[in-house]
Each structure stands twice: as C-alpha cells, then as structure tokens.
C-alpha cells in the first residue's frame, strides 16, 4: 500500500516507509547480485528491438513507457513477473483479488498543473480510473482509538481529547504557517521537468509567472517559509516551537506514512503538499474501483493504445553495453533485445547495478550505490473471509501504533490494514471481504536471510513475526472476526518481497534523508542508460515514481515535442 498524494508519495504497501534512525544495510556487489526471482523463460514476441527498452513494469516504468509511446517512440517493456505492475500489481486467489501494494490514494480526479503526476500521465494517455471517495480512516494509538477525518477543522476534535492544553493553538499556528506556502510547493508540475537544459523552457519559463504570483500572495513570511521546502520538515516544526507530544507523534506518523521517514528526514515540500490535500475544505481520499490493479490496467491500455508493447515473463539477465553504450538487454534464455536509442531501468539502483557488466561500471558509481542505505522490508498478511459478524460500517483503512516511545519506524510497532472490499465489493466473492495488512517497511531482512522457504525454521518464524498483524486485524475488525475461519490466509515475508517483486533484499527503497543527501537523478555514467522509479528523484511513493517516469520520457524527446504534450494535456 502506499499513500498516493498528488505530488509526492510512497509506493509499496499503504504509505511510504523507511526509518531515519534504525540500523541500515550496506551492501557488497556480491550481495547485490544474489537476488532471487520468480520467472520463466519466454522469448519476446514480435521484433526483437525497439527505440527504447524499459526494464520493469512498475508504475514508474509504465508511466515512462506510456508517455514515450504517446510521443511516437517505439517502446518495449520487459517484465520478469507474469503480471504487470511491480509493487502495485494485483493477484487473484479463490475469487479474492488482493492489492500487493498501494491502497491509500488521492488526487486521481485532479486536473491541471497541480494535479497528481499519475493523474497527469493517465490524462496524457487518454485513460482514467473510476474511484470511490471517502474522508476518514481508523487510528489505534496508545492514547485510544478514533476515526480520523481529513478536513480543515476535524483534527481539532481529536486534539481536544488526546492533545495537551496548548495543542489546538499549536496546530492552528502550524496550519497558518504551512498552508499559505503550499502553492509554491505545487507551482512546478512534475510533468514539465526534463533532464537537460530544455527544462528552462518547459518548466522555468513556462511556469515562472504562476510561481512569482504564488510568492507575492504569500507575503514576506510565507516566502521565507517557502525557502525551507527542500529542508527537513522538523526544522519548520522546531521554528514554530511545536511541543505538544501528541502533535509531534502525529506528525512523525504522517511523515512516515508518506515518505518512510520521520519529520527529521522528510522534505518540507512533501509534508506541505500533503497538508494542502488533507486539511483544506472539501478534500477527500480515493480508492480505485476494482483495486490498485485497475491503475496498472489503465497504464497498460494507454501504452498499447499508442503502439507500445509489453512482454511478461521476460527476465532480463544483463544490460548489454557495446563501445561504452547501453544497446539493449539479454533475457534469460539468451534472447537479445536491441534498444536503438536507450535502455531505461525501472529496477532499484542495486538491482540495476547487478545487471551491468562489472568492467563498464565506474568505481564512483558503484561505491555510491553500494553505500546508499536501504529501507527495511515488509511482512504481509492477505486474508479472505466471510463478512458475517463484521461491522457494516467497517472503514477501508486502519492503522495501529503500539508504542509511541519506540518510534513509528521501529519493527513490529506499526501495522497498516486495508479492507478495500468495503468500497469495491467486486474484489471479493458475494458476502466476503478481502484484507491486506502489513508492517510498513520496518521488517529487518537479516533475520530472514539464507532461510529455506520450505523449512520448519522459516514457517515458525513466519508464524511468530505475523502475530502482530493478526492482533491488529482482530482489534480493527472486532469480536466477530475469527482467524480460523478465513478462507484465504497468506503470510508474506522479506523473502517473498524479494522473490515476487525482484527487490534486492526485499527493500522498500533507498533510505535517503532530507538535508543530508538527495535522490539520484535519472542519467547514469553509461550513455543511453537511464533510470526511473523509487531509486531516483523525486523518491519513493506512487506520485514520485510516476513523476520520475515522466521526467525520463520527457528527456528522451525534443523540447518541442515535450511542450506540445504539455499544451495537449492543459498544463
């Protein structure tokens, strides 16, 4: 799951998860090369070449490929799995359709320069995803449990019960400070950005008037706050002397759900944008009818509509480099697919490195990747069960925090739960529910590494480490739920995450902290090899990876073609 806010966001289960303080993993080249995969050998149908070959059909890869097809490029996506979507794919078991990743979304119906980057890409492809709107999610924290509603005044009701005597004043001060600078945070549409000097035309010059207008409307204090957009959000909190423990914990939770780090590691721009979406009049959350797989289906339809191709069960063994340039990919089984203009990798930085011949990789590039800290992995619990005895007013989303003092980034401390069948009943058989619970990017890979998935040791560890999710589900669903009566019970581990998503060590992505480092750009030291996805700018999350795919696509066409697309989609 992952929160999907209009400009920024996590991608993988329900929000964005990493940790600023817990132990990080650093990898050697041999460890990077050892990822397990689940594929079969299958030759790519049709001609074994394209202008651009895209490795991986995650949302970033599909957005890149779809826009390239829209630009008139001959593009081929090669996907190792037997379904498209990467961490956002869906799968069916016994009539239950499960989301494997993102499930908390907003901004699908937005249009114009400030729209969700994914919505902008879908608009460019002439596709849409029908959604159901809602405005609340259940929260279970040490202080108690409550229905958290989004909107400009709703949180004050929660503060009356759980905050201190100054909490309402501090929250109002926070809103009054950051909401006025949200226009600056959203002034430059990600779809306008490209990776060369053409950005001066497609972004800087094109949107300079609206950006200047935003700064003028903010006044001196707001303009000063806008200078902190690329700094950690904790700096804004501290400058406002926000001290209430409940507010501080709540902000850490929101930051963690959004970007996988607490307030001391998230960009202020991300939090400011989220506040503008959650705490303005009339705001809503959205869930796509037919599940997150409907988003993937829409992107694939758009790709094919403009002549793009996708080949499933096509596992890339190597990126082929000739005379220092990336010229294609070699599949398991030996088939070579030539890329006449470029290869784009939607794999993680570690997995991309493992696909390259070691002798062509500059040491500085290799060192940067191998020393980049990783977010931890996931535990997943997928359930299918009878709706009898379950409250009729059950909400779609629930979050359980067991102990504030341990930190929201501590393992086994936060559990996220999604029951999408309450809004899209077709995801389960009649009278049934489908549920996905997980520990969000906090599960250490080390305790699983090297285990045989068929062994009793592995099965026992699965039972032990999944218990925190079972207890959270029982809390959220009430006494009418009986785990023994579930028709489908699936427990996923970091090894599952690694195997099915082809993610090195099952990681959620790079653990890059605002103010200390930045996400890499999209070019590489290998000419004609570019990267998109959660290992590149703007970072982890559905909107972020959609934006990264768009940036790469824009960079592979002329400024004129790029500008014409912006005109066509109305931004």
């Amino acid at each position: 799951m992952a929160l999907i806010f209009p400009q920024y966001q996590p991608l993988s289960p329900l929000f964005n998860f990493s940790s600023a303080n817990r132990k990080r993993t650093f990898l050697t080249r041999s460890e990077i090369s050892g990822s397990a995969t689940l594929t079969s050998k299958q030759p790519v149908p049709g001609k074994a070449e394209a202008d651009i070959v895209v490795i991986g059909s995650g949302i970033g890869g599909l957005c890149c490929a779809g826009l390239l097809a829209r630009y008139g490029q001959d593009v081929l996506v090669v996907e190792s799995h037997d379904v498209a979507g990467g961490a956002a794919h869906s799968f069916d078991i016994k009539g239950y359709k499960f989301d494997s990743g993102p499930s908390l979304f907003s901004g699908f119906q937005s249009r114009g320069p400030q729209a969700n980057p994914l919505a902008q890409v879908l608009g460019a492809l002439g596709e849409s995803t029908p959604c159901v709107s809602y405005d609340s999610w259940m929260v279970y924290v040490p202080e108690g449990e409550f229905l958290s509603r989004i909107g400009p005044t709703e949180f004050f009701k929660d503060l009356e019960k759980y905050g201190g005597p100054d909490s309402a004043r501090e929250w109002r001060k926070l809103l009054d400070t950051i909401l006025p600078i949200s226009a600056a945070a959203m002034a430059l549409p990600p779809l306008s950005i490209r990776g060369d000097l053409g950005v001066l035309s497609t972004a800087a010059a094109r949107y300079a008037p609206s950006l200047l207008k935003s700064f003028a409307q903010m006044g001196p204090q707001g303009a000063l706050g806008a200078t902190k957009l690329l700094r950690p959000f904790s700096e804004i909190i501290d400058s406002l002397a926000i001290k209430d423990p409940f507010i501080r914990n709540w902000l850490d939770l929101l930051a963690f759900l959004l970007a996988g780090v607490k307030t001391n590691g998230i960009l202020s721009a991300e939090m400011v944008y989220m506040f503008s979406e959650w705490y303005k009049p009339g705001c809503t959350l959205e869930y796509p009818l037919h599940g997150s797989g409907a988003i993937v289906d829409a992107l694939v339809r758009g790709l094919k509509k403009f002549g793009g191709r996708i080949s499933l069960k096509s596992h890339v063994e190597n990126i082929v480099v000739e005379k220092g340039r990336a010229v294609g990919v070699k599949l398991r089984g030996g088939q070579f697919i030539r890329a006449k203009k470029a290869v784009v990798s939607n794999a993680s930085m570690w997995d991309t490195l493992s696909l390259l011949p070691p002798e062509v990789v500059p040491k500085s590039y290799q060192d940067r990747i191998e020393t980049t800290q990783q977010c931890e992995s996931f535990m997943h619990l997928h359930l299918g069960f009878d709706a009898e005895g379950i409250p009729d007013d059950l909400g779609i989303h629930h979050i359980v925090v067991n102990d504030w003092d341990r930190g929201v980034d501590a393992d086994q401390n936060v559990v996220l739960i999604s029951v999408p069948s309450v809004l899209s009943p077709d995801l389960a058989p009649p009278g049934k529910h489908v549920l996905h619970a997980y520990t969000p990017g906090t599960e250490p890979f080390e305790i699983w590494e090297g285990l045989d998935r068929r062994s009793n040791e592995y099965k026992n560890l699965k039972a032990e480490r999944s218990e925190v999710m079972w207890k959270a589900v029982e809390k959220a669903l009430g006494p009418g739920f009986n785990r023994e009566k579930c028709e489908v019970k699936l427990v996923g581990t970091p090894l599952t995450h690694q195997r099915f998503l082809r993610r090195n060590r099952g990681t959620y992505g790079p653990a890059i902290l605002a103010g200390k480092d930045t996400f890499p750009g999209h070019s590489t030291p290998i000419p004609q090899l570019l990267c998109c996805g959660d290992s590149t700018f703007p970072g982890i999350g559905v909107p972020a990876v959609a934006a990264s795919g768009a940036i790469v696509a824009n960079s592979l066409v002329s400024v004129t073609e790029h500008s014409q697309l912006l005109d066509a989609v109305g931004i």
Side-chain angles (χ1 to χ4, degrees):
M1 306 185 198
L3 272 176
I4 150 174
F5 293 115
Q7 302 275 24
Y8 304 92
Q9 193 125 345
L11 192 167
S12 192
L14 187 84
F15 305 173
N16 200 351
F17 328 101
S18 69
S19 157
N21 300 316
R22 64 178 179 274
K23 179 179 178 291
R24 295 300 182 184
T25 303
F26 298 89
L27 306 175
T28 65
R29 186 66 182 271
S30 61
E31 288 175 318
I32 291 172
S33 301
S35 295
T37 56
L38 180 72
T39 60
S40 62
K41 299 177 183 178
Q42 178 165 311
V44 170
K47 59 181 180 179
E49 67 174 19
D51 292 334
I52 296 101
V53 174
V54 178
I55 303 171
S57 67
I59 285 180
L62 288 176
C63 286
C64 179
L67 286 178
L68 285 168
R70 172 71 165 75
Y71 281 127
Q73 300 295 310
D74 178 20
V75 60
L76 170 66
V77 179
V78 284
E79 168 58 47
S80 184
H81 208 337
D82 58 4
V83 292
H89 78 274
S90 294
F91 60 96
D92 295 77
I93 294 180
K94 296 182 179 180
Y96 294 93
K97 188 172 185 178
F98 293 97
D99 292 335
S100 68
S103 63
L104 182 55
F105 304 91
S106 70
F108 272 125
Q109 311 306 318
S110 57
R111 295 292 183 270
Q114 297 180 358
N116 185 318
L118 180 55
Q120 290 180 342
V121 171
L122 288 170
L125 298 178
E127 295 291 338
S128 62
T129 304
C131 295
V132 181
S133 298
Y134 62 104
D135 65 358
S136 62
W137 45 303
M138 277 299 300
V139 179
Y140 307 83
V141 293
E143 293 89 343
E145 58 185 65
F146 58 94
L147 184 68
S148 177
R149 294 187 181 278
I150 61 175
T153 61
E154 296 296 330
F155 192 60
F156 286 100
K157 300 174 185 177
D158 303 323
L159 290 175
E160 289 178 6
K161 188 171 183 179
Y162 302 112
D166 293 327
S167 60
R169 178 185 60 80
E170 290 186 357
W171 187 255
R172 173 55 63 192
K173 186 191 338 183
L174 183 65
L175 293 179
D176 289 346
T177 299
I178 65 178
L179 289 181
I181 64 177
S182 63
M186 302 184 294
L188 198 62
L191 209 63
S192 69
I193 302 173
R194 53 189 291 122
D196 57 23
L197 291 178
V199 72
L200 297 176
S201 173
T202 61
R206 188 182 186 98
Y207 299 101
S210 61
L211 187 59
L212 292 173
K213 182 180 179 181
S214 298
F215 276 101
Q217 291 174 339
M218 285 188 287
Q221 184 175 357
L224 180 62
T227 64
K228 300 179 180 180
L229 287 173
L230 298 182
R231 298 293 301 168
F233 188 63
S234 57
E235 294 183 5
I236 290 181
I237 300 172
D238 293 339
S239 70
L240 297 174
I242 305 297
K243 300 182 182 300
D244 183 80
F246 184 76
I247 291 180
R248 298 286 302 216
N249 285 330
W250 184 255
L251 293 174
D252 269 342
L253 178 62
L254 292 181
F256 186 66
L257 299 181
L258 178 62
V261 290
K262 296 191 290 189
T263 53
N264 63 350
I266 190 173
L267 285 174
S268 293
E270 296 189 59
M271 287 293 283
V272 166
Y273 194 90
M274 183 274 294
F275 265 78
S276 75
E277 284 299 303
W278 274 33
Y279 297 106
K280 67 180 181 183
C283 54
T284 63
L285 299 171
E286 298 167 339
Y287 183 77
L289 286 173
H290 319 307
S292 63
I295 303 169
V296 175
D297 292 343
L299 290 171
V300 171
R301 285 196 308 270
L303 167 70
K304 293 181 177 180
K305 178 191 303 181
F306 291 98
R309 294 173 287 154
I310 181 168
S311 180
L312 303 176
K313 295 191 288 186
S314 297
H315 178 88
V316 174
E317 283 275 289
N318 301 108
I319 296 170
V320 179
V321 179
E322 295 177 355
K323 298 181 180 180
R325 294 178 173 272
V327 297
V329 299
K330 187 182 76 172
L331 304 184
R332 179 175 293 170
Q335 186 180 15
F336 172 62
I337 310 297
R338 179 167 295 280
K340 293 184 286 186
K341 295 183 179 180
V343 174
V344 178
S345 177
N346 185 213
S348 76
M349 61 170 67
W350 304 280
D351 294 298
T352 299
L353 179 62
S354 72
L355 297 176
L356 287 166
E359 64 273 13
V360 307
V361 179
K363 188 175 185 305
S364 58
Y365 183 66
Q366 177 179 333
D367 289 346
R368 165 70 191 266
I369 292 174
E370 292 179 352
T371 57
T372 296
Q373 294 177 320
Q374 286 187 335
C375 296
E376 302 288 10
S377 190
F378 292 82
M379 288 293 295
H380 296 275
L381 181 64
H382 291 284
L383 303 176
F385 55 93
D386 199 301
E388 185 178 356
I390 305 301
D392 292 336
D393 60 350
L394 181 70
I396 178 175
H397 293 302
H398 308 256
I399 181 166
V400 177
V401 180
N402 292 312
D403 185 350
W404 287 126
D405 291 338
R406 291 191 63 214
V408 294
D409 51 6
D411 71 302
Q412 300 269 292
N413 194 30
V414 174
V415 178
L416 304 172
I417 301 168
S418 172
V419 194
S421 50
V422 303
L423 295 181
S424 187
D426 63 307
L427 297 177
K432 312 286 184 178
H433 277 311
V434 62
L435 178 148
H436 178 202
Y438 54 92
T439 55
T442 58
E443 182 67 10
F445 185 81
E446 289 78 9
I447 65 176
W448 299 91
E449 192 167 14
L451 291 180
D452 183 342
R453 293 190 300 271
R454 297 163 296 182
S455 68
N456 288 331
E457 182 183 5
Y458 178 69
K459 295 173 183 176
N460 291 338
L461 189 58
K462 281 176 66 173
E464 174 190 334
R465 300 294 289 183
S466 64
E467 186 61 24
V468 67
M469 296 185 292
W470 280 109
K471 289 181 178 178
V473 169
E474 289 168 344
K475 177 180 290 188
L477 269 57
F481 172 76
N482 185 338
R483 67 170 78 178
E484 302 303 325
K485 293 183 179 180
C486 290
E487 297 176 7
V488 176
K489 291 187 280 190
L490 301 173
V491 176
T493 72
L495 298 184
T496 313
H497 215 67
Q498 178 189 53
R499 182 185 182 209
F500 284 91
L501 300 183
R502 199 179 176 186
R503 298 286 294 185
N504 179 263
R505 298 174 69 88
T507 183
Y508 186 38
I512 294 175
L513 305 181
K516 295 184 178 180
D517 202 353
T518 58
F519 276 86
H522 306 93
S523 62
T524 73
I526 313 299
Q528 296 179 189
L529 173 63
L530 295 92
C531 295
C532 66
D534 58 18
S535 287
T536 65
F537 175 83
I540 297 175
V542 172
V545 298
S548 77
I551 292 169
V552 171
N554 297 336
S555 303
L556 287 167
V557 300
S558 69
V559 171
T560 298
E561 291 173 293
H562 186 184
S563 298
Q564 288 173 345
L565 178 67
L566 295 175
D567 291 337
V569 298
I571 61 173

